[in-house]
Structures are given as C-alpha cells and as structure tokens.
Amino acid sequence: HGESSVQSRLCVDVRDVAAAHVAASLRRDTVGNRYVCSTERRIPSSDTAKSLVRAWELHRNGNNCDDANANADINRIHCDTAFDGGAVAIGDVEVLAAERLKNDLGIVCRPVEDTMTDMGLALLSMND
C-alpha cells in the first residue's frame, strides 16, 4: 500500500496488444514490420487518477463497501499536476500509431479511460 503520485504515461491495453499480435501473425504482408501499440498523446495524470477513482467507486458500490476505512482509501489516489511531461509535453503527440494499426491490422485501441478503469477493477477484485 505504498503511495506515489500518478504520472503521465503513454498507455495501451494488453488486450489490444494481444489482438494486434494475432492480427499481425495472420497476415503475410506484416512480416518484418514493427507496430507500435500505444496512445499517441501523453495522458495527463489527472485523467489516470479519475479512472482509478471511477474503478474504486464501481468496486465499492458493487461490493456494498460503506465503512469509513474503505471510503478513506479513495482519498489516497492523487496525481502530480506539476509534472509537465519533460521533452514531450502532457497532451502532445509522442508517437504515431493509430492510423497504421487500423489500416494494416484492423486494430483500434480502446479508450485509456476504459483500460485504466478495468485495470483498477481487476486489481481491486484480487482483494475480494
């Protein structure tokens, strides 16, 4: 239960990586090509934190958690809004990937909000 600020990161859902891997393996014209599976823009840490809060709220509501300790945990999710992203600013494009993934492999990565919320729910369910 350590604490650290949520930082901005590029993100991809492992389910999308798996789908891209399978799609690439089924096509002869992808041999020797490399594909980047990722968001293109740096994600603000506040967006990630909101998704994790959403996961906690969904988990709490689904498990009827109303005790003070359970509700206090949500206040431990925080983000570093001072981090500007360094060489690539938050919100700026860091990598181009979406168009090539869609055109070559038919893959459209799911929204980061869904990925982060699903990840949070999966982690929380491990403690049930």
Side-chain angles (χ1 to χ4, degrees):
H1 294 286
E3 288 187 29
S4 66
S5 296
V6 176
Q7 292 288 334
S8 170
R9 301 283 185 259
L10 294 178
C11 177
V12 65
D13 194 300
V14 67
R15 296 169 290 189
D16 296 329
V17 173
H21 183 79
V22 170
S25 71
L26 296 174
R27 298 180 55 130
R28 292 182 191 267
D29 59 339
T30 60
V31 173
N33 292 332
R34 292 177 184 249
Y35 293 89
V36 174
C37 293
S38 178
T39 55
E40 295 184 339
R41 297 183 181 278
R42 307 253 1 232
I43 303 159
S45 58
S46 59
D47 290 0
T48 302
K50 286 176 192 172
S51 294
L52 296 176
V53 167
R54 181 171 179 256
W56 173 246
E57 290 170 342
L58 290 169
H59 178 77
R60 181 189 63 199
N61 294 338
N63 290 304
N64 297 318
C65 298
D66 286 327
D67 66 80
N69 290 333
N71 290 328
D73 284 342
I74 201 167
N75 294 322
R76 295 178 59 200
I77 299 173
H78 56 96
C79 58
D80 180 358
T81 56
F83 180 63
D84 66 1
V88 180
I90 303 300
D92 283 358
V93 172
E94 183 168 344
V95 63
L96 296 175
E99 185 175 339
R100 188 165 179 231
L101 282 173
K102 184 177 180 181
N103 291 344
D104 289 10
L105 304 177
I107 300 297
V108 176
C109 293
R110 66 196 78 221
V112 173
E113 298 80 11
D114 294 351
T115 295
M116 291 294 177
T117 300
D118 289 351
M119 178 197 65
L121 285 168
L123 291 170
L124 289 165
S125 70
M126 294 174 67
N127 291 324
D128 290 344

